[in-house]
Amino acid sequence: MYTHQKQIITAGTPLDKAKGALVLLHGRGGTADNIISLADEFNIDDIAIVAPQASNHSWYPYSFMMPVSQNQPALDSALQIIGELVDDLIAKGIPAEHIYFAGFSQGACLTLEYVARNAKRFGGVIAFTGGLIGKELVTTNYKGDFNNTPILITTGDPDPHVPLSRVEESAVILKNLNADVTVKVYKGRPHTITGDEIELANQLIFA
């Protein structure tokens, strides 16, 4: 088992001139460099883009639907990397309400898990095919108040990695923490990010 080394790729507006920040989390087998190109599709200006790189190109070794203990210590290490990154952004003058998150697949699961455990008013959250992590969801892990933070979760039905039932279960938990949640399900869509999802993200999160 493994923990993550802190490797952060940056793009966009330099932090000292940025009005906000976007944290991008890549999927299993992906890279920070690869996910950063996604930011080109978003309607964002004056935003610093930060993308951590997972060790072994994977945030945790097994399916997100496995017992959490089987994905340790990698999962806790990944959550710690994001927490330190967010603390660093805030320390450099970017308030939480101007911090956005977007992730795909494993990165989408990690995005939702981090924000649900640390709910506060963020700029917005995008989970392209993801859900909260664990064989069963332990609701006591999730705390705080999103204060109407917009959260978009998109998924295919069926999806080979993310059951629709888990997406729906996750949405309920996020709503109970006062998030403004939108779930969009695409029948028969392959495990990818489509143009329609990008458009929806721009409408709901980066409007």
Side-chain angles (χ1 to χ4, degrees):
M1 298 298 274
Y2 56 91
T3 56
H4 299 282
Q5 299 300 313
K6 200 168 183 178
Q7 298 170 271
I8 312 289
I9 308 288
T10 59
T13 304
L15 263 178
D16 57 351
K17 296 183 177 67
K19 292 179 182 168
L22 170 61
V23 178
L24 287 169
L25 295 172
H26 67 76
R28 189 186 296 276
T31 65
D33 279 322
N34 185 253
I35 194 85
I36 262 187
S37 65
L38 185 63
D40 295 340
E41 308 292 327
F42 295 141
N43 293 338
I44 51 177
D45 291 311
D46 305 323
I47 298 283
I49 298 153
V50 287
Q53 173 65 49
S55 301
N56 304 343
H57 299 280
S58 181
W59 292 112
Y60 41 87
Y62 302 113
S63 163
F64 84 115
M65 299 289 290
M66 296 289 275
V68 164
S69 59
Q70 296 197 14
N71 277 315
Q72 298 295 16
L75 176 58
D76 278 352
S77 173
L79 291 167
Q80 185 181 340
I81 293 269
I82 301 167
E84 288 173 1
L85 183 53
V86 169
D87 288 346
D88 195 37
L89 291 171
I90 291 169
K92 288 181 175 162
I94 307 285
E97 60 265 29
H98 292 168
I99 297 175
Y100 298 82
F101 299 85
F104 170 62
S105 191
Q106 194 188 54
C109 297
L110 189 61
T111 295
L112 292 177
E113 189 69 21
Y114 173 78
V115 297
R117 289 183 182 214
N118 301 277
K120 56 173 71 76
R121 176 69 204 204
F122 292 114
V125 179
I126 305 160
F128 291 122
T129 313
L132 292 167
I133 296 172
K135 187 175 182 190
E136 283 93 26
L137 296 182
V138 182
T139 51
T140 50
N141 284 342
Y142 307 121
K143 48 184 78 77
D145 185 340
F146 279 116
N147 193 16
N148 293 319
T149 297
I151 298 181
L152 171 63
I153 310 175
T154 62
T155 194
D157 180 30
D159 182 86
H161 305 290
V162 180
L164 181 56
S165 58
R166 175 52 58 90
V167 170
E168 291 168 339
E169 191 183 0
S170 303
V172 169
I173 288 171
L174 296 164
K175 284 174 184 170
N176 287 340
L177 296 169
N178 291 325
D180 180 6
V181 183
T182 302
V183 175
K184 183 68 189 278
V185 181
Y186 297 86
K187 286 285 178 193
R189 187 214 66 186
H191 191 72
T192 186
I193 302 171
T194 64
D196 191 78
E197 288 163 272
I198 300 278
E199 203 172 307
L200 204 53
N202 280 326
Q203 286 169 12
L204 295 174
I205 308 298
F206 301 120

